[in-house]
Amino acid sequence: MKRIVLFAILLTTTFGYTQTLLSYEKSPVFKECNSVDVDQLKSCFNYTLNTFIYKNFKTPQVVIDESYVGNVKVLFEVNSTGEFKTLYTDAIYDELKIETKRVFDALPKVEPATYNGNPTFVQYSITIALPLTEPVEKFLVKAGDEVVLTNKENLNATLSDEFDAIRKEKIAFENLEYSSELNVPFTHSYYARFDDEMNAVGTNSHTAAKPFVYNDVARYYDIKGEKESLAKDVDSWLGRKLFNEHLVEVQGKDYWFTVDPILDLQIGKDTEADFNTTWNNTRGVYIQAGLAKRFNLTTSIYESQGRFADYFNQYAESLKAFGPDPAVIPGRGIAKRFKEDAYDYPVAEAYVSYTPADFLNVQFGHGKNFIGDGYRSLFQSDVSSPYPFLKLNTTFWKIKYTSTWMWLKDVRDEVVEDKAFLTKYMANHYLSWNVSKRLNIGLFESVIWADTNGRGFDVNYLNPIIFFRAIEFQTGQGAGNAILGLSSKYKWNNKVNLYGQFVLDEFSLGDVKAGEKSWKNKFGFQLGAKYFNAFNVDNLLLQAEYNRVRPYVYSHNTQILNYANFNQPMAHLWGANFKELVLIGRYNYKRWFGDAKFIIGQRGFDFNTDEDSFSYGGDIYRDYNDRNADTGIKIGQGNKTNSFMTEIQAGYLLNPATNLKVFTNIIYRDFNPEAITASTQDSNTLWFSVGVRTDLFNWYNDM
């Protein structure tokens, strides 16, 4: 912008008034210089102007506090009526720019310069050195303070100086991202590194709404210090970029940005599959930037091809969207066929983050969000494909209030119109309240509605403070699908946290009292515990979690109003009609890390046969009016399936700045349905893989 302003001035000067600027009979004259000889007028003008600045310029407090030594550059004009006008000011502090303009606005009107005896304007540049020094008498002006006529050559020099100033203002990179308003990339393994600090007794942190913003985490955990402590002692440029730094990192006085490559290169073996190897080949770019202190942005672009374990491929193809593409890669997006038995799946994510006030952060972008303290979430999870969203985080007192509006897609064949996917909308509110030093309570509400009959985005749900259930009744119960939730977390001590969620889709108290296990009692709950620095081993986290969701939760009699996006649930990966126990252990030592996960579960699937086409409540895309019964509804009904899965991963953090890891991963999965159907196959998998990955998001292999 500065260069544009100066360039515009240059054009005006060059094409309009070149002759005027290059030659004039007499410079502007202050009244103090009326009696001075003509050949001394320029020096008198210089001295009088500098004296006025010295006497009237009030050094801003920030300059004094920081003992700043530097200068202010001013491009100004004395017009044909003798008035001073500032055209451009360059200074390190905004306060200096404001004070400079005030001083120049206060300058008295002078006798204008003349050319061929006629009044004309002239332009000058001046450098005001700080701290100020009194001008020397007898018109002998310090070189640094001399006023210079701005002819074409001088103006070009000013432009060159401005460019040099921008170049020279680059300073040592300070990793400002770690105190910025950017999100900490959400992976369960990395968040475990500071989970105990965020959950210490007495902290006023709010840990359910994720991803966290760096600036919020910085109050409790020094991410910058952690990254710096892991730095290797290498001198070469290649060594620093490989092990310690971003590939590109630039910082100026009011901006910074980084650019990094994204990699996810894996090769492995699935013992159950007919093909020889599994593999993934992801390349991309990851950009982060900050402008001033309150505006940040990031973008990540992925180009990927891959072939996975057989059970993963089958699940991806069961999510197939309308059109010729064979699959939807879970958590990523639509995939087209690559060669004969692999997939090509590009992904792009980005958002801008703006904090207009300390209590408010606004984000708009394309990505995913998560609400909960556990490994799973029954409110909103990150298992589906990315989507556009607008999010407001408001924090004050002991409260954090998160409002999120999302644009989702139903990609099934039966709802496509003119070959376009159906758009549906989701809005939710989450209120987190730290009741005491140990107890946190959260209130959640969410609603989904669809873009049908020209309805579009319903402004009724735009209000960030409202009860969605009431709006649903006003607009018609078939117009939206509202869900309510209650969460809680209790800090037993600095080592043990207890947490839970309760989600309510529909409830019939009368049926509960009658003991009929009505289908209307659509609810689920989560109970969990975390043990930090377990058994006095630093950085060892143990976690146990139990999730239980009754049949038909998240579904609706209007199928497009299900709680899903891109054929994937927006909450728990398994949809509904399940119970599971999750056991997790995570450990890290310097750059080394290891994770172990065990999942024991029971689910109820539909048979999907001519003889039995009922919905048993696990598939949230089914109309709940297709249910098999009104009473006697229980978890595991239908095609009862027991499953066991363990995943063990170990690796080494190559670059802490980019979260680039080398790892090995082993998955054992045993999946045993009571009946083998076209959609539910028996499976016993051992999947081994090794690779290198830029770890920026969660991969869920436990479907």
Side-chain angles (χ1 to χ4, degrees):
M1 185 63 186
K2 297 175 182 176
R3 296 178 62 186
I4 294 173
V5 171
L6 286 171
F7 184 67
I9 295 170
L10 175 60
L11 290 178
T12 304
T13 303
T14 302
F15 298 112
Y17 303 96
T18 301
Q19 185 178 4
T20 301
L21 289 172
L22 293 178
S23 175
Y24 62 91
E25 292 180 351
K26 189 173 67 174
S27 65
V29 181
F30 283 98
K31 66 178 182 178
E32 292 88 344
C33 303
N34 284 335
S35 58
V36 174
D37 294 338
V38 172
D39 59 352
Q40 290 291 310
L41 283 178
K42 179 179 179 182
S43 295
C44 185
F45 177 81
N46 293 346
Y47 175 74
T48 306
L49 176 59
N50 279 279
T51 300
F52 184 90
I53 293 172
Y54 175 76
K55 290 182 178 179
N56 292 273
F57 194 94
K58 298 177 181 178
T59 304
Q61 189 62 41
V62 65
V63 176
I64 298 172
D65 293 343
E66 299 190 8
S67 302
Y68 173 70
V69 177
N71 54 62
V72 180
K73 294 184 178 181
V74 188
L75 187 65
F76 68 95
E77 172 185 298
V78 182
N79 65 20
S80 59
T81 63
E83 296 175 336
F84 286 82
K85 296 177 61 178
T86 53
L87 303 177
Y88 172 73
T89 305
D90 184 24
I92 191 171
Y93 301 106
D94 289 338
E95 291 85 348
L96 282 174
K97 296 179 183 180
I98 295 171
E99 177 60 15
T100 300
K101 186 177 186 305
R102 184 194 69 79
V103 172
F104 271 79
D105 288 345
L107 280 162
K109 192 173 182 180
V110 298
E111 182 182 329
T114 59
Y115 176 77
N116 289 334
N118 297 315
T120 186
F121 80 91
V122 286
Q123 292 176 347
Y124 298 98
S125 66
I126 184 173
T127 299
I128 305 172
L130 298 172
L132 292 172
T133 57
E134 186 173 3
V136 180
E137 294 183 0
K138 297 183 180 179
F139 315 144
L140 298 176
V141 183
K142 290 173 58 180
D145 293 331
E146 183 179 2
V147 179
V148 182
L149 178 66
T150 305
N151 56 25
K152 180 178 179 181
E153 288 75 15
N154 288 330
L155 190 55
N156 285 336
T158 301
L159 288 168
S160 179
D161 289 344
E162 170 67 8
F163 178 82
D164 290 341
I166 294 174
R167 176 179 57 82
K168 292 176 181 177
E169 80 175 7
K170 295 178 184 177
I171 60 178
F173 194 75
E174 299 176 291
N175 291 303
L176 295 179
E177 64 187 284
Y178 303 133
S179 58
S180 72
E181 303 301 325
L182 284 176
N183 293 332
V184 184
F186 176 46
T187 65
H188 292 291
S189 59
Y190 183 64
Y191 274 45
R193 285 179 175 257
F194 47 82
D195 210 359
D196 56 336
E197 285 86 353
M198 295 286 288
N199 284 287
V201 175
T203 58
N204 192 32
S205 63
H206 299 269
T207 57
K210 298 179 177 75
F212 300 150
V213 172
Y214 276 111
N215 194 34
D216 290 340
V217 177
R219 298 170 57 193
Y220 309 102
Y221 182 75
D222 187 2
I223 293 182
K224 180 179 179 181
E226 176 215 8
K227 304 283 189 181
E228 291 175 349
S229 70
L230 296 174
K232 286 182 175 294
D233 186 13
V234 290
D235 295 326
S236 67
W237 179 89
L238 180 60
R240 288 188 288 108
K241 297 303 176 183
L242 179 60
F243 294 111
N244 296 336
E245 299 177 358
H246 298 285
L247 178 63
V248 177
E249 46 187 34
V250 176
Q251 182 177 328
K253 66 180 182 180
D254 55 3
Y255 66 89
W256 65 269
F257 66 87
T258 66
V259 181
D260 291 294
I262 296 174
L263 296 175
D264 189 352
L265 309 176
Q266 300 180 43
I267 188 167
K269 172 65 178 176
D270 173 12
T271 59
E272 189 181 35
D274 295 331
F275 46 78
N276 293 325
T277 59
T278 63
W279 53 273
N280 188 68
N281 178 14
T282 294
R283 300 87 56 215
V285 62
Y286 182 50
I287 301 172
Q288 302 177 98
L291 301 175
K293 294 182 178 180
R294 297 187 177 272
F295 186 85
N296 297 99
L297 60 91
T298 184
T299 183
S300 53
I301 302 171
Y302 304 80
E303 173 59 32
S304 304
Q305 295 82 36
R307 178 176 63 198
F308 312 96
D310 198 43
Y311 80 89
F312 192 100
N313 295 337
Q314 290 179 14
Y315 180 71
E317 296 193 8
S318 74
L319 304 177
K320 180 186 182 307
F322 167 80
D325 299 318
V328 172
I329 303 301
R332 299 284 77 197
I334 292 177
K336 63 182 180 181
R337 179 64 67 195
F338 181 75
K339 296 184 177 179
E340 295 182 358
D341 54 4
Y343 310 100
D344 187 321
Y345 57 104
V347 183
E349 298 184 65
Y351 66 90
V352 295
S353 176
Y354 177 57
T355 304
D358 291 341
F359 63 87
L360 177 64
N361 175 253
V362 182
Q363 295 187 9
F364 177 69
H366 188 264
K368 296 189 281 188
N369 297 276
F370 187 99
I371 297 178
D373 286 290
Y375 174 69
R376 307 288 198 188
S377 174
L378 305 186
F379 295 169
Q380 181 178 352
S381 184
D382 60 339
V383 300
S384 80
S385 302
Y387 45 81
F389 69 90
L390 171 65
K391 180 165 68 173
L392 275 63
N393 279 315
T394 306
T395 307
F396 60 95
W397 188 51
K398 301 177 182 180
I399 298 290
K400 182 173 183 179
Y401 189 69
T402 302
S403 298
T404 313
W405 295 268
M406 291 147 280
W407 288 255
L408 311 179
K409 293 291 185 181
D410 192 327
V411 298
R412 294 171 297 158
D413 292 8
E414 54 266 37
V415 298
V416 168
E417 293 185 7
D418 298 326
K419 298 183 179 181
F421 298 141
L422 175 71
T423 299
K424 59 184 186 179
Y425 308 94
M426 179 176 179
N428 62 39
H429 302 150
Y430 182 71
L431 174 68
S432 173
W433 175 29
N434 288 326
V435 180
S436 69
K437 293 181 179 181
R438 298 177 184 271
L439 178 63
N440 172 273
I441 292 177
L443 301 176
F444 175 79
E445 62 171 348
S446 182
V447 67
I448 283 186
W449 72 99
D451 186 8
T452 55
N453 300 320
R455 184 183 184 191
F457 188 93
D458 194 332
V459 295
N460 285 297
Y461 299 116
L462 193 59
N463 191 330
I465 304 176
I466 204 165
F467 292 100
F468 288 146
R469 182 66 77 175
I471 294 298
E472 182 192 14
F473 280 122
Q474 291 182 13
T475 57
Q477 294 189 36
N481 182 13
I483 290 176
L484 301 176
L486 173 68
S487 68
S488 182
K489 179 179 65 179
Y490 186 76
K491 304 172 185 179
W492 189 272
N493 52 42
N494 284 335
K495 284 196 168 186
V496 177
N497 271 8
L498 307 176
Y499 63 89
Q501 291 183 335
F502 178 80
V503 62
L504 179 64
D505 191 355
E506 194 169 346
F507 190 71
S508 173
L509 182 61
D511 290 335
V512 171
K513 291 180 178 179
E516 296 178 336
K517 295 183 179 179
S518 171
W519 75 275
K520 296 179 182 177
N521 293 323
K522 297 158 57 180
F523 62 86
F525 66 85
Q526 175 188 88
L527 295 174
K530 293 180 181 178
Y531 183 16
F532 305 112
N533 299 315
F535 308 112
N536 295 320
V537 177
D538 290 341
N539 303 317
L540 174 61
L541 169 63
L542 300 181
Q543 181 177 1
E545 180 176 301
Y546 180 71
N547 296 292
R548 185 183 182 96
V549 177
R550 282 181 53 79
Y552 308 111
V553 178
Y554 307 119
S555 61
H556 200 268
N557 59 359
T558 304
Q559 295 181 51
I560 57 176
L561 299 183
N562 52 68
Y563 206 69
N565 172 52
F566 264 89
N567 289 340
Q568 303 153 83
M570 284 295 289
H572 196 290
L573 178 64
W574 291 359
N577 191 13
F578 68 86
K579 54 185 177 182
E580 71 164 349
L581 175 65
V582 182
L583 302 174
I584 297 174
R586 304 188 190 277
Y587 176 72
N588 66 83
Y589 175 74
K590 295 183 178 180
R591 293 192 179 216
W592 296 96
F593 67 91
D595 299 329
K597 178 172 58 181
F598 304 89
I599 300 177
I600 304 169
Q602 185 179 90
R603 306 160 68 178
F605 290 92
D606 297 340
F607 291 99
N608 293 320
T609 63
D610 293 338
E611 295 78 16
D612 190 342
S613 60
F614 292 112
S615 168
Y616 288 92
D619 183 356
I620 64 175
Y621 272 91
R622 294 285 303 270
D623 184 342
Y624 57 58
N625 286 328
D626 294 337
R627 59 188 176 273
N628 62 307
D630 290 340
T631 59
I633 304 300
K634 60 182 180 180
I635 291 176
Q637 68 175 14
N639 190 359
K640 183 183 294 184
T641 302
N642 294 315
S643 64
F644 171 79
M645 177 177 177
T646 180
E647 181 174 7
I648 299 174
Q649 184 175 126
Y652 181 78
L653 185 61
L654 285 175
N655 190 328
T658 62
N659 217 19
L660 180 65
K661 300 177 177 179
V662 58
F663 67 94
T664 181
N665 195 70
I666 300 174
I667 293 176
Y668 173 73
R669 178 179 181 268
D670 186 42
F671 191 80
N672 292 303
E674 287 186 346
I676 304 300
T677 68
S679 58
T680 310
Q681 301 291 322
D682 183 43
S683 176
N684 189 278
T685 302
L686 180 63
W687 183 13
F688 170 81
S689 57
V690 295
V692 57
R693 170 191 296 160
T694 305
D695 206 10
L696 300 177
F697 60 90
N698 288 308
W699 271 108
Y700 293 98
N701 298 312
D702 38 30
M703 56 278 302

